[in-house]
């Protein structure tokens, strides 16, 4: 059996929503301290809806496929719907990931949360800090996932 599903390979070879949003309303960056991979997520939000999303991932194929799929899953959704997206849902949508690559999908979930947290911070919106990952400019300061 192939290690990676056709869907994973498709999103790795042809990632959706790659890039930067210069005037993003929320930007999040998370990293995995073990492997050093970094994921950055940009959100354009209007009336509580994610109108556009782009990502930049400096990381493995599974991280790229996970971030690509995650952006597809949250585009056009409300902030609350995006916050409810879990790494397990991303993995399911990809048709699975090898066990030792599951942590890569966690970056996708956390980068979405981190970008929404940044949006909240910029707009002075109250939120429960314990439900959000730490931001990181440097991977060393990021939490292990
Ligand atoms: Fe680091 Fe995949 S090996 S995110």
């Amino acid at each position: 059996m192939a290690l990676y599903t056709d869907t994973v390979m498709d999103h790795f070879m042809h990632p959706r929503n790659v890039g930067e949003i210069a005037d993003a309303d929320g930007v999040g960056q998370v990293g995995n301290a073990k492997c050093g991979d970094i994921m950055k997520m940009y959100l354009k939000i209007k009336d509580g809806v994610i109108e556009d999303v782009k990502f930049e991932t400096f990381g493995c194929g599974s991280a790229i496929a996970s971030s690509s799929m995650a952006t597809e899953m949250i585009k056009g959704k409300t902030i609350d719907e995006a916050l409810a997206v879990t790494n397990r849902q991303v993995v399911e949508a990809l048709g699975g990931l090898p066990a030792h690559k599951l942590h890569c999908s966690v970056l996708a979930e956390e980068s979405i949360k981190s970008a929404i947290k940044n949006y909240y911070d910029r707009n002075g919106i109250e939120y429960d800090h314990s439900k959000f990952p730490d931001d990181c400019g440097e991977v060393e300061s990021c939490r292990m996932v």
Side-chain angles (χ1 to χ4, degrees):
M1 197 181 98
L3 195 55
Y4 294 106
T5 67
D6 289 345
T7 310
V8 171
M9 289 309 294
D10 180 36
H11 278 265
F12 169 55
M13 301 294 284
H14 311 285
R16 281 62 149 182
N17 307 307
V18 174
E20 177 186 359
I21 299 176
D23 60 343
D25 299 307
V27 180
Q29 179 170 303
V30 293
N32 182 301
K34 260 189 209 158
C35 65
D37 292 354
I38 299 172
M39 195 178 288
K40 197 165 182 180
M41 193 72 68
Y42 302 85
L43 301 177
K44 198 80 193 139
I45 298 173
K46 192 171 178 209
D47 297 331
V49 174
I50 295 168
E51 285 199 322
D52 198 12
V53 49
K54 291 209 182 301
F55 79 91
E56 294 171 321
T57 292
F58 181 77
C60 73
S62 297
I64 290 167
S66 294
S67 31
S68 170
M69 179 58 84
T71 58
E72 291 280 89
M73 291 169 75
I74 65 168
K75 205 172 193 174
K77 298 284 168 53
T78 65
I79 291 175
D80 285 344
E81 286 169 334
L83 283 174
V85 170
T86 66
N87 79 299
R88 285 187 182 281
Q89 291 170 339
V90 173
V91 171
E92 268 171 35
L94 288 170
L97 279 175
H100 68 287
K101 286 288 178 181
L102 288 174
H103 75 272
C104 315
S105 65
V106 175
L107 283 185
E109 178 189 330
E110 294 207 330
S111 63
I112 292 168
K113 290 193 164 83
S114 174
I116 292 172
K117 183 171 114 150
N118 178 250
Y119 168 75
Y120 285 162
D121 285 339
R122 288 184 190 197
N123 291 280
I125 299 168
E126 291 294 317
Y127 59 92
D128 181 352
H129 287 248
S130 68
K131 293 194 173 149
F132 290 83
D134 297 328
D135 287 327
C136 60
E138 295 174 21
V139 75
E140 285 79 13
S141 66
C142 289
R143 67 190 224 171
M144 306 273 267
V145 289

